[in-house]
Amino acid sequence: MKLEDYTREQLEERKKTLESKYENFRSLGLKLDLSRGKPEAKQLDLSASLLSILKEGDYYDEEGQDCRNYGGLTGLPEVRRLFGELFGVPAELVLPGGNSSLALIHDALCRAFLNGPLPGDTPWCRLPKVKFICPVPGYDWHFHTCENFGIEMLSVETRPDGPDMDRVEELAKDPSVKGMICVPMYGNPSGVTYSDEVVERLAAMETGASDFRLFWDNAYCVHHLYDEEENRDHLANIYEACQRYGHEDRVLQFASTSKITFAGGGICAMAASPANLRETLRILTYQLVCYDKVNQLRHVRFLPDRAAVEVHMKKQAAILRPKFELVQKVLKETVEPLGIGHWHAPRGGYFICFYAMSGCARRIVRLCRGAGLTLTKAGAAYPYDTDPEDRAIRIAPSYAPMEELKQVMQIFPVVVELAAVEKLLEEK
Ligand SMILES: Cc1ncc(COP(=O)(O)O)c(C=O)c1O
């Protein structure tokens, strides 16, 4: 029976039962954390050999460059080739970076603001207004960064196949809309992967700004939870699509091995058109001599090509998959029959986005905290930390060991139901 069909008396009765369960959880003094999408230690152990993979004398890349020394701003050819395979672009269009793709995104924004994306473009800092399209729910770091640059964020709803493209196309006509920032595969936190049609329309659309940039943060491009092709999402090649429409400068692609090897201790890369890369390198020369080539070398010794990445990611999936399945099984058994929440079942990535009854997300996060369970702040998946319907909650099941996750999944449904009962009582 759906909770909304309960009578007032039934709801009051149910509230008492739930409150007593909640008090029991509180008395346990638990300390559980599902707030950030960090890998569990077991996942990091899969890459332990990275730390000792370079033996004495093994310092040279395939062109004979000594990776211990300065030089080689464009990184190791092996790394360019590896990321080229992941992005689906030629190796020459890849710029390997340091340990963080978010730093690359930040730097790309800095260049656009200080210099303009390409020579001849007006630096964005000289414009009265810079706006970005932001599919929601989205990644809180993206939104805080945009806010920090003074970018006005325009939310666009994400559907099961990606952002509402009619809305995106409409907004993109405005010349002050300079870009869009998104996670196109196994989205953080939506779990959604953009369909071929969405990718095609993003590449093809007319934009009011000639220097419009698509910040394509493909952080989860190899993070499938299932081995079988038919249980994996597929993402079309955005660069090739942009090329077909003569918009090859439009897209800047980013990825890293943070969720492949070591989080914050991996390597990252950007892929972009020849013109974008030329301009990036021109300015980068004044920013640093080179990125950490020793770490780049370690990584390509450990993961020489896409096939090696695939094998490694299957081991990651074997750890992550049971956690994702547990969360969804419990939600299906407890919350779904009451009609007080739904979620998109992701086939990869790091997150499950749970949509509670409208007006309940903040209350749920607060109640969870009271019971010792920390979740990502309600509203964080929306620009300005404001979820207009107060319903989205990001569940990040990776970091907690399975035993802890089982405890979490006893508390969470009780809290979701308690918040829903309170809401319904308020409205009856
Ligand atoms: C969408 C997205 N991009 C980037 C990152 C972090 O990337 P990096 O560690 O390479 O800066 C994360 C980490 O959670 C993420 O979810």
Side-chain angles (χ1 to χ4, degrees):
M1 181 171 161
K2 301 271 182 256
L3 208 59
E4 65 185 15
D5 297 329
Y6 281 37
T7 61
R8 191 170 181 91
E9 292 66 39
Q10 284 172 316
L11 284 172
E12 269 160 3
E13 198 53 39
R14 190 70 194 140
K15 185 163 176 265
K16 278 191 213 136
T17 311
L18 292 165
E19 279 171 345
S20 125
K21 284 189 186 181
Y22 180 72
E23 280 313 314
N24 279 345
F25 291 132
R26 273 170 67 87
S27 67
L28 297 176
L30 298 170
K31 240 175 139 2
L32 304 164
D33 192 349
L34 248 64
S35 63
R36 301 310 311 175
K38 296 202 288 190
E40 190 193 346
K42 262 199 234 171
Q43 292 178 258
L44 303 172
D45 290 344
L46 295 174
S47 306
S49 66
L50 248 181
L51 296 174
S52 53
I53 205 163
L54 294 183
K55 303 294 177 230
E56 207 173 329
D58 185 13
Y59 311 130
Y60 305 93
D61 71 8
E62 66 186 23
E63 288 178 347
Q65 172 172 229
D66 188 338
C67 296
R68 297 168 304 174
N69 218 332
Y70 272 149
L73 183 55
T74 52
L76 272 57
E78 296 95 314
V79 175
R80 301 183 88 181
R81 206 162 49 233
L82 173 65
F83 276 99
E85 285 183 60
L86 302 182
F87 287 129
V89 301
E92 313 82 75
L93 298 187
V94 173
L95 175 70
N99 69 326
S100 162
S101 57
L102 296 181
L104 284 186
I105 294 174
H106 194 272
D107 285 350
L109 282 169
C110 281
R111 288 188 296 273
F113 270 81
L114 290 175
N115 302 77
L118 287 180
D121 292 333
T122 305
W124 292 356
C125 69
R126 299 231 186 100
L127 302 170
K129 197 97 207 127
V130 173
K131 300 180 194 163
F132 263 41
I133 297 166
C134 298
V136 293
Y139 182 27
D140 51 357
W141 186 95
H142 288 168
F143 301 152
H144 292 139
T145 300
C146 285
E147 203 172 349
N148 194 39
F149 276 90
I151 295 170
E152 184 180 322
M153 292 172 274
L154 309 168
S155 298
V156 172
E157 186 203 338
T158 301
R159 298 180 169 168
D161 67 340
D164 171 353
M165 280 309 299
D166 290 342
R167 185 77 187 127
V168 170
E169 285 164 349
E170 191 55 40
L171 291 171
K173 288 181 193 154
D174 174 352
S176 64
V177 172
K178 292 290 186 182
M180 168 165 148
I181 187 159
C182 63
V183 185
M185 187 159 201
Y186 301 133
N188 174 356
S190 68
V192 164
T193 299
Y194 294 5
S195 68
D196 291 357
E197 189 199 333
V198 164
V199 172
E200 197 72 11
R201 286 175 73 177
L202 285 169
M205 69 185 181
E206 291 308 320
T207 59
S210 58
D211 55 353
F212 181 97
R213 288 293 179 276
L214 195 48
F215 285 74
W216 199 251
D217 182 358
N218 209 349
Y220 300 105
C221 57
V222 289
H223 299 66
H224 311 288
L225 287 172
Y226 297 93
D227 290 352
E228 316 78 38
E229 259 329 297
E230 66 275 17
N231 283 332
R232 292 176 164 196
D233 288 356
H234 148 90
L235 181 68
N237 188 316
I238 183 71
Y239 186 69
E240 285 174 3
C242 285
Q243 272 184 316
R244 276 199 295 284
Y245 293 96
H247 296 151
E248 64 173 8
D249 294 334
R250 174 171 296 178
V251 63
L252 305 175
Q253 300 192 67
F254 302 90
S256 78
T257 68
S258 274
K259 305 280 175 73
I260 298 176
T261 57
F262 296 144
I267 54 172
C268 68
M270 173 174 103
S273 68
N276 279 320
L277 270 197
R278 256 195 316 276
E279 181 60 3
T280 300
L281 282 167
R282 186 182 74 77
I283 299 169
L284 206 59
T285 311
Y286 308 117
Q287 186 176 336
L288 77 168
V289 179
C290 62
Y291 289 108
D292 179 352
K293 297 194 299 302
V294 175
N295 202 27
Q296 291 184 12
L297 185 64
R298 260 201 292 260
H299 272 79
V300 285
R301 290 284 183 268
F302 185 61
L303 300 171
D305 51 26
R306 191 185 172 108
V309 173
E310 276 272 331
V311 171
H312 183 75
M313 293 313 288
K314 284 187 183 175
K315 296 181 201 160
Q316 297 276 12
I319 299 171
L320 285 171
R321 192 171 48 240
K323 296 183 179 184
F324 275 74
E325 289 181 346
L326 171 74
V327 172
Q328 297 185 76
K329 178 173 178 285
V330 173
L331 291 177
K332 225 176 167 40
E333 288 168 0
T334 55
V335 170
E336 198 174 71
L338 296 170
I340 53 174
H342 67 275
W343 64 98
H344 172 86
R347 306 202 291 180
Y350 258 64
F351 305 99
I352 295 166
C353 192
F354 177 73
Y355 301 92
M357 258 175 57
S358 287
C360 287
R362 271 181 301 179
R363 177 75 179 140
I364 291 169
V365 171
R366 214 174 318 123
L367 282 168
C368 281
R369 185 175 284 275
L373 166 59
T374 308
L375 296 170
T376 313
K377 203 168 113 192
Y382 292 77
Y384 313 106
D385 282 337
T386 306
D387 172 358
E389 291 205 50
D390 186 27
R391 64 196 309 222
I393 294 174
R394 186 175 84 159
I395 301 177
S398 58
Y399 187 56
M402 198 60 174
E403 281 317 303
E404 280 184 24
L405 192 61
K406 284 182 186 160
Q407 285 183 311
V408 167
M409 291 316 292
Q410 287 177 352
I411 301 170
F412 188 71
V414 170
V415 166
V416 170
E417 192 181 344
L418 179 54
V421 167
E422 288 173 354
K423 187 89 199 150
L424 288 170
L425 278 171
E426 240 172 70
E427 287 165 3
K428 282 223 181 228

